[in-house]
Amino acid sequence: MLFERILRWALVTIAVAGLSAGIFASAANRSNLADLSWTLATAPVVAGLAVSIARDLLAGRFGVDAIALVSMSAALALGQPLAGAVVALMYSGGNVL
């Protein structure tokens, strides 16, 4: 239980840090660095969510978390890392709450 709580806070921290770093890089006209920051902020949340969904499916539960997984993954695949980072922050923040 404690490990899951720490993991949730770590994912929120990663999402906030990556989103912030990307915003600063974008303001400095470093769009490649901004995209990288946003991608790196999204990827751990996608991985954590995929593990959570797999665990829920094995327990016979299915929820709306799959929508967040699809939206973050699609944003990264379509070259929209800012959108993915925003969804990652929304999901991980909501998960902590």
Side-chain angles (χ1 to χ4, degrees), residues 18-29:
L19 193 57
S20 300
I23 289 170
F24 286 122
S26 181
N29 291 324

Side-chain angles (χ1 to χ4, degrees), residues 8-44:
R8 287 181 186 146
W9 277 104
L11 291 177
V12 170
T13 303
I14 291 168
V16 169
L19 193 57
S20 300
I23 289 170
F24 286 122
S26 181
N29 291 324
R30 303 284 309 267
S31 60
N32 289 339
L33 184 58
D35 288 347
L36 178 63
S37 297
W38 294 325
T39 299
L40 292 176
T42 306

Side-chain angles (χ1 to χ4, degrees), residues 2-14 48 96:
L2 178 63
F3 176 73
E4 288 184 22
R5 174 182 260 168
I6 292 170
L7 182 61
R8 287 181 186 146
W9 277 104
L11 291 177
V12 170
T13 303
I14 291 168
V96 166

Side-chain angles (χ1 to χ4, degrees), residues 10-87:
L11 291 177
V12 170
T13 303
I14 291 168
V16 169
L19 193 57
S20 300
I23 289 170
F24 286 122
S26 181
N29 291 324
R30 303 284 309 267
S31 60
N32 289 339
L33 184 58
D35 288 347
L36 178 63
S37 297
W38 294 325
T39 299
L40 292 176
T42 306
V45 178
V46 168
L49 181 55
V51 169
S52 174
I53 288 173
R55 190 176 56 208
D56 287 348
L57 286 175
L58 290 174
R61 295 185 305 261
F62 184 76
V64 296
D65 290 349
I67 295 170
L69 179 66
V70 169
S71 66
M72 286 185 282
S73 301
L76 293 179
L78 295 173
Q80 298 295 321
L82 175 58
V86 169
V87 175

